[in-house]
Structure formats: structure tokens, C-alpha cells
Amino acid sequence: MQVSTRLFYDRASAAMGALSAQADTLQTQIATGKKLAVASDDSVAYARLRGVAQASADAKASGTNLDLAASVLAQADSTLTAMTAQLQQASELAIQARSGTQDKVSLGALADGIDAIRDQLADLGNAVDPRGLPLFGGGDGGAAVTANADGSYSYAATSPSAIPVGGGQSVQPSDTAHRVFTSAAGDALAMLTRLSAALRAGTDVDAAAASAVGDLATATTQVSTVQASLGARAAHVELAQAALTRANTDREATRSGLEDTDVTAAITQLQKTMTVLSATQASFTKLQGLSLFDYLK
């Protein structure tokens, strides 16, 4: 009889303890919104969560770099558009110079306009990107366009720093000033300097302006070619951003399935557990109060 009584108490205590522990766990899951607190809760799921967390961290870095690449490419595109507008304006001034009706004062004004366009183009070439690096300069951070003492210009010929975007890939977000400003017609800024000098001299203006119109058309085509190349890279970056967004969505769904509490299901399970626990406690209390005389009645 002593053994039976002890077993009765032990079993009842173990059952109520297990139910209480289960209720505590469910309450914690509901309060925190997390199913897993420690690795022992589910070692397989915990290991998968660590992998998901690492992948998320890598994706965040890739996303930041893709956003940077997109920003630099957009800036390069708008800068090249501005350059094209300046070259077209220079071509219009060259055409005006060929009219044959310009006097020396007018030609001087046109030359001033050409000089202003040349200087504006040089300034555009020396723009800096969001990283503080020359937009069309080399990876060493040196100036993209340098005016030399003799009036000529030097251009950065090494590519700007590439931006890593994950998976061992990188994106070249711009191009060199050398490729932007030089073409089959030669150096665009030097060409403008020659045109300005010819207009100020007032000799053989028609020939100089005619040559400049053709050369400026070639220079404009070169800028457009560079812009098209950057546009293709921008499209690649957009595709990579879209793919990353989809991967992030799928990964978040996986993480949520492994880690997040289904609150509705947890509350339902908690209510069931509390009902069973209450019934077990009530039964234990009732049986505990019975005596031998109760059995003999």
C-alpha cells in the first residue's frame, strides 16, 4: 500500500509538472513571438536558422552595394546626358560661326561661349560619386580631367573602382574620362580649344568651324556610346536587385516558419494544456482526500 501511494503521488506530480512546463513554454512563445529560445528546443531548426541569418547578412551587404552601384550609374548617366547637351550647344555655336555674317566682336563672343562649354565639360568630367571618388577617374582617386599648363588636357585612363555585389561578381559603375572625351576625332576639349582660338583669330573661320561641327558630332556619338554601355550595366544591376528582393522574401518566409510562433495555434494549445492541467489537479485533490473509510462505504 505504501508503494502504491508513492507511485500515485509521483505520477501525479510528474504529470502536473510536465503540463505546467508545457504551459510555461507556450506562454513564453506567445509573449516573445519566437518558438525557439535555445538550440536544444530544436537543434535542426536552430542550425537552419543560423544559416538563414548568415545568408541574410550577406544579402544585406550585397543589397547595399547594389544600391550604391545603381546610384553611381544613375549619376554617370545624368552627367553624360549633360555632356551631350553641352557638345550639341558647342556644335550650334560652330554653325553660327560659319554663317559668314559674324564680325570680330561676334566671333569673340562665340569663342567665349566655346570656352565656357569646354570648362563646363571639364567640370562635369571631374564630378565625384557618392563614395567621394572621381566619377570618371581611376581607382587611385586622382582627378579625372587635368588641365595642363600648355592648355592641353590629361584624362584618367584606368577604370574607376568596381563595386562588389556578391557571388564573386562586381559592377563597374562608370567609365574612364579618357574613353568619354576621346574618340576617332581626337580630344573633345582640345578640339574646343582649337575652335575658340580660330574664332578669336578670325582667319579661316569657315574651315575651322566646319571641321569642328564634324568632330563634335563624333565626340557626341562617343559620349552616347559610353552612356549606352553604362545603361546596359544599370539594367543588369536592376535585375540583380529584383532577384535579391525575391530571395530575401523567400528567406524571410523560411525564417518565419522555423522561428516565429503561430500565435493562434499556440493560444489554442495553451488553453487545452491549462484545461488538462486543471482537470489533473482537481482529480489529484479529490483522490488525495479519500480515506480507507471512503473506500469501505
Side-chain angles (χ1 to χ4, degrees):
M1 187 68 182
Q2 289 179 350
V3 173
S4 298
T5 300
R6 191 154 126 204
L7 284 174
F8 163 70
Y9 277 103
D10 288 347
R11 288 174 180 172
S13 178
M16 289 186 290
L19 288 168
S20 294
Q22 184 178 359
D24 289 342
T25 298
L26 288 167
Q27 288 174 334
T28 300
Q29 290 177 351
I30 293 169
T32 62
K34 305 296 182 184
K35 291 187 292 187
L36 304 178
V38 293
S40 58
D41 290 341
D42 187 335
S43 59
V44 174
Y46 206 82
R48 288 185 64 191
L49 277 174
R50 291 184 65 183
V52 169
Q54 182 60 55
S56 295
D58 293 342
K60 184 177 181 180
S62 295
T64 298
N65 285 350
L66 281 169
D67 290 343
L68 174 60
S71 176
V72 176
L73 284 163
Q75 182 186 358
D77 180 73
S78 62
T79 303
L80 291 171
T81 295
M83 288 181 181
T84 297
Q86 292 292 321
L87 289 170
Q88 289 173 343
Q89 186 177 351
S91 182
E92 291 172 3
L93 294 179
I95 291 172
Q96 289 182 37
R98 294 191 64 195
S99 66
T101 60
Q102 306 291 340
D103 57 22
K104 187 171 182 179
V105 173
S106 298
L107 290 175
L110 291 175
D112 289 341
I114 294 294
D115 288 342
I117 289 172
R118 180 199 59 206
D119 294 343
Q120 180 63 27
L121 284 169
D123 288 342
L124 289 169
N126 277 323
V128 295
D129 66 22
R131 299 171 294 180
L133 298 175
L135 185 60
F136 301 105
D140 60 359
V145 180
T146 302
N148 300 316
D150 61 359
S152 64
Y153 288 84
S154 298
Y155 305 106
T158 57
S159 298
S161 299
I163 299 174
V165 294
Q169 297 184 333
S170 61
V171 174
Q172 189 65 252
S174 185
D175 217 318
T176 66
H178 183 268
R179 186 160 183 258
V180 172
F181 286 107
T182 61
S183 65
D187 176 350
L189 300 188
M191 177 198 316
L192 292 172
T193 297
R194 290 195 300 271
L195 175 60
S196 173
L199 296 180
R200 293 186 191 284
T203 57
D204 221 4
V205 170
D206 186 72
S211 176
V213 169
D215 290 345
L216 285 168
T218 301
T220 301
T221 298
Q222 177 63 21
V223 172
S224 297
T225 299
V226 173
Q227 192 168 17
S229 174
L230 297 185
R233 295 178 216 173
H236 174 73
V237 168
E238 288 179 6
L239 289 174
Q241 287 176 311
L244 185 63
T245 298
R246 291 193 297 271
N248 286 341
T249 299
D250 294 342
R251 188 166 47 253
E252 175 58 22
T254 298
R255 183 209 62 76
S256 180
L258 291 169
E259 185 178 29
D260 291 347
T261 300
D262 183 338
V263 176
T264 301
I267 290 175
T268 301
Q269 184 61 36
L270 177 61
Q271 291 172 338
K272 289 170 58 178
T273 301
M274 294 303 295
T275 298
V276 174
L277 177 59
S278 296
T280 301
Q281 290 172 335
S283 298
F284 175 74
T285 301
K286 185 174 182 180
L287 290 173
Q288 187 181 32
L290 291 177
S291 67
L292 179 60
F293 292 103
D294 294 313
Y295 284 111
L296 294 175
K297 287 180 181 180

